[in-house]
Each structure stands twice: as C-alpha cells, then as structure tokens.
Amino acid sequence: MAFSMKDITTVKEFELDLLSQNEKLRNIAFIQAHELRGPITSMQGLVSLMIQENYSKDFEEGYAKEFTLLSNKVDKIVKTIVAESDVKPEV
C-alpha cells in the first residue's frame, strides 16, 4: 500500500482569493446597476427640463445646485467602485 501526500495550501488559498474576487465583482455590479444609475437618471431629467425651459438664467442657476449635489453623489459612488475593485496583485 502506497500513500502520497501533497500540500494543497496554495490551491486552497487560490480558491479563497477567487471567491473573494467574485464577491467584489458582484458588489461592483450591484453598485453600478442600482446606486450609480439613480443619480445619472436624475441628472438626465434635469438636463431635459433645462432644454424645455430654453435655458433661462434663473432656471439654470436653480439647477446648478442640484447638478453639484448629484455630481458629488456620483463621484462618491465612483470612488466606492474604485475602492471595491482594488484587487491586490499576486506576490
């Protein structure tokens, strides 16, 4: 009877890394599909309203604040996506 032993530590660590990366990708997909889409849609609606109102100065100034708030929200979400997708290189 012969027995063979093989260290599978590296294989298991690789599997755990893959599972972690897959979870990160699922989180990124969720963020893109749900959290990023809302502010983008709102900005598109504001642009549409501005066009319908023929770009009156008061109208534009009123929406400038909204654009700033929404763009800040998009910026924060993008930063979250970047942080979530930061995969450490293999050593």
Side-chain angles (χ1 to χ4, degrees):
M1 210 171 183
F3 289 99
S4 175
M5 295 184 77
K6 183 177 180 182
D7 185 6
I8 62 168
T9 303
T10 305
V11 173
K12 288 296 181 181
E13 288 173 349
F14 182 73
E15 286 177 358
L16 290 174
D17 286 344
L18 282 177
L19 290 172
S20 175
Q21 288 178 6
N22 285 341
E23 183 63 26
K24 286 181 180 183
L25 289 173
R26 279 191 288 277
N27 289 339
I28 290 167
F30 177 83
I31 290 167
Q32 289 176 333
H34 300 282
E35 293 183 33
L36 187 58
R37 190 66 192 132
I40 291 171
T41 302
S42 295
M43 284 190 286
Q44 290 170 333
L46 290 172
V47 169
S48 178
L49 287 173
M50 288 176 71
I51 291 169
Q52 290 175 11
E53 292 291 321
N54 297 319
Y55 301 102
S56 73
K57 189 67 174 169
D58 292 336
F59 192 80
E60 286 184 60
E61 289 175 0
Y63 281 100
K65 181 178 177 182
E66 292 298 318
F67 280 118
T68 301
L69 293 172
L70 290 170
S71 64
N72 288 339
K73 186 172 183 178
V74 170
D75 184 51
K76 182 178 177 183
I77 292 167
V78 169
K79 287 178 183 176
T80 301
I81 291 170
V82 170
E84 187 67 31
S85 65
D86 184 25
V87 178
K88 296 177 184 171
E90 291 185 31
V91 178

